[in-house]
Amino acid sequence: GAVVSQHPSRVICKSGTSVKIECRSLDFQATTMFWYRQFPKQSLMLMATSNEGSKATYEQGVEKDKFLINHASLTLSTLTVTSAHPEDSSFYICSADRVDYGYTFGSGTRLTVV
Amino acid sequence: AQSVAQPEDQVNVAEGNPLTVKCTYSVSGNPYLFWYVQYPNRGLQFLLKYITGDNLVKGSYGFEAEFNKSQTSFHLKKPSALVSDSALYFCAVRDNYGQNFVFGPGTRLSVLP
């Protein structure tokens, strides 16, 4: 149980375009999901907390207008990187909160902006 | 506030030898403790957790961890390392109110053939 699916696993886009990443909880309902960014050889940096039916909570220093988060249902949260630039290239990971499991993570999305 | 320390950035061990990846934590109240593993370009995979009960917790792929309350530690162990165990390992903690989930910085394990 407690499976989270993240899609796509890899995406390459041109500078200035937008990219949407999906995070789905497959066998449970997740009122809260989390989006992380991971730089090479570093730990996960929490970007934002996504709450179903309400606005996401962004961590300090994360641009909410660049990283749009929508949590429209209890099983789906999306992260849209708007007007992407090469410095947005990174590994993005979502997770959903199950108190007894801890966080269950998606498999990650490698974003490359060219 | 919770915190997690993984004092070693890198652990090297020969295949077949026992391995230990260290984790210490600080949390108010009773801790929920977790270990996750991350392979290159992949998300995190759950290995094991301690919520309550026996201090020795057994998890996936032959890993185990021992909760030591007096030392506030939750070291990850495996009796005989495999080359395929080479990965990045994260310790994490949350308090018993279910809030504030915090990751350690990660330890890179290299198992040498």
Side-chain angles (χ1 to χ4, degrees), chain A residues 31-32 34 49 96-103, chain B residues 2 27-34 51 93-102:
Chain A
T31 55
T32 304
F34 303 87
T49 302
D97 190 9
R98 280 278 297 268
V99 174
D100 55 342
Y101 268 77
Y103 287 6
Chain B
Q2 283 99 284
V27 67
S28 57
N30 294 321
Y32 290 5
L33 294 157
F34 304 84
I51 305 295
V93 66
R94 72 194 307 172
D95 64 26
N96 60 351
Y97 300 104
Q99 304 298 321
N100 297 328
F101 197 100
V102 174

Side-chain angles (χ1 to χ4, degrees), chain A residues 2-108:
Chain A
V3 177
V4 171
S5 173
Q6 186 173 342
H7 180 80
S9 58
R10 290 178 179 269
V11 58
I12 300 173
C13 70
K14 292 183 178 180
S15 289
T17 62
S18 295
V19 174
K20 180 184 285 187
I21 303 170
E22 293 187 347
C23 182
R24 294 180 184 272
S25 57
L26 297 185
D27 55 355
F28 67 102
Q29 293 182 331
T31 55
T32 304
M33 290 186 175
F34 303 87
W35 288 95
Y36 295 84
R37 184 172 179 176
Q38 186 179 31
F39 293 99
K41 299 184 179 180
Q42 294 190 28
S43 189
L44 284 71
M45 180 192 79
L46 179 64
M47 298 174 63
T49 302
S50 168
N51 302 298
E52 188 269 335
S54 64
K55 290 182 179 180
T57 304
Y58 289 82
E59 296 299 302
Q60 191 172 9
V62 177
E63 298 177 62
K64 61 180 67 175
D65 294 332
K66 166 166 277 294
F67 298 101
L68 299 179
I69 291 173
N70 184 280
H71 195 154
S73 77
L74 288 170
T75 58
L76 175 64
S77 176
T78 60
L79 168 68
T80 302
V81 182
T82 63
S83 187
H85 291 285
E87 57 264 32
D88 298 325
S89 299
S90 193
F91 194 59
Y92 294 87
I93 305 175
C94 71
S95 73
D97 190 9
R98 280 278 297 268
V99 174
D100 55 342
Y101 268 77
Y103 287 6
T104 301
F105 291 85
S107 55

Side-chain angles (χ1 to χ4, degrees), chain A residues 38 44 91 93-94 103-108, chain B residues 35-39 42-47 88-90 103:
Chain A
Q38 186 179 31
L44 284 71
F91 194 59
I93 305 175
C94 71
Y103 287 6
T104 301
F105 291 85
S107 55
Chain B
W35 275 102
Y36 292 88
V37 60
Q38 184 181 31
Y39 297 99
R42 300 291 298 276
L44 273 67
Q45 294 180 30
F46 171 80
L47 277 180
L88 191 56
Y89 290 82
F90 291 98
F103 285 95

